[in-house]
Every structure is written in structure tokens, then in C-alpha cells.
Amino acid sequence: MAIRMPRIIQARKILKRSLSNGSTTPASMDIPKGYFAIYVGEQEKKRFVVSVSLLSEPNFQELLHQAEEEFGYNHPMGGLTIPCSEDVFTDLASRLGAF
């Protein structure tokens, strides 16, 4: 099984770019080492804290890529935001062991 390093590197760059748009707030300081916050939802955004290991998963990388192409990552919340339904995200993340 080959590891697709360019996609992993791209996902990390997207995360860094997204995090650099926001400021350090008390909410961002309650994230344990090895995890990151992500906002998910089509209308109202719900905050999830997930493992960084999720970044190496091809299905999550594809979700990030689709969100970037369609919506970009310049969001007022300053965090990584994926405008998909919570059900889709929680199903994917739980199957990948991200929580």
C-alpha cells in the first residue's frame, strides 16, 4: 500500500493556512496536543475537536479538497470550516477513529 504523501502535505498546508487566519482565543487554547478544532455544518456550525491523524486519511483529504474548491477557507470563525452536514462528517470521522 503506497502512502500518498503529496495529499498529506497538502492537507497540512490547508490546516496551517486556515489556522493562521484566526487569532489565539481561549477557545483555541483548550485543544489537547495532537488534536485540532474543525467547524462543521451547512447553516449553523458545530465545533468538533478531532485527532490530527485524520489529516492522513484519504477520505478526509478528499472532503477537505472538495470544501476548498467549492467554498475556500477564508471563514470569519478563523478555524477550519467544512460546510457539509454534521451527519456526514460524524459518520466519516467515527469510522476513521478521529474522536
Side-chain angles (χ1 to χ4, degrees), residues 4-24:
R4 296 174 7 186
M5 292 301 288
R7 296 286 283 202
I8 294 170
I9 293 168
Q10 181 184 21
R12 286 186 178 150
K13 285 181 182 177
I14 290 168
L15 178 60
K16 284 180 184 177
R17 186 171 55 231
S18 175
L19 293 176
S20 68
N21 288 337
S23 60
T24 303

Side-chain angles (χ1 to χ4, degrees), residues 11-43:
R12 286 186 178 150
K13 285 181 182 177
I14 290 168
L15 178 60
K16 284 180 184 177
R17 186 171 55 231
S18 175
L19 293 176
S20 68
N21 288 337
S23 60
T24 303
T25 63
S28 68
M29 296 173 76
D30 66 351
I31 301 170
K33 185 174 183 175
Y35 289 80
F36 66 98
I38 186 167
Y39 296 91
V40 177
E42 294 169 306
Q43 298 297 326

Side-chain angles (χ1 to χ4, degrees), residues 73-95:
Y73 284 115
N74 188 15
H75 295 282
M77 297 174 116
L80 181 60
T81 304
I82 298 182
C84 70
S85 73
E86 282 183 44
D87 293 337
V88 169
F89 177 77
T90 54
D91 180 55
L92 174 65
S94 62
R95 283 190 283 128

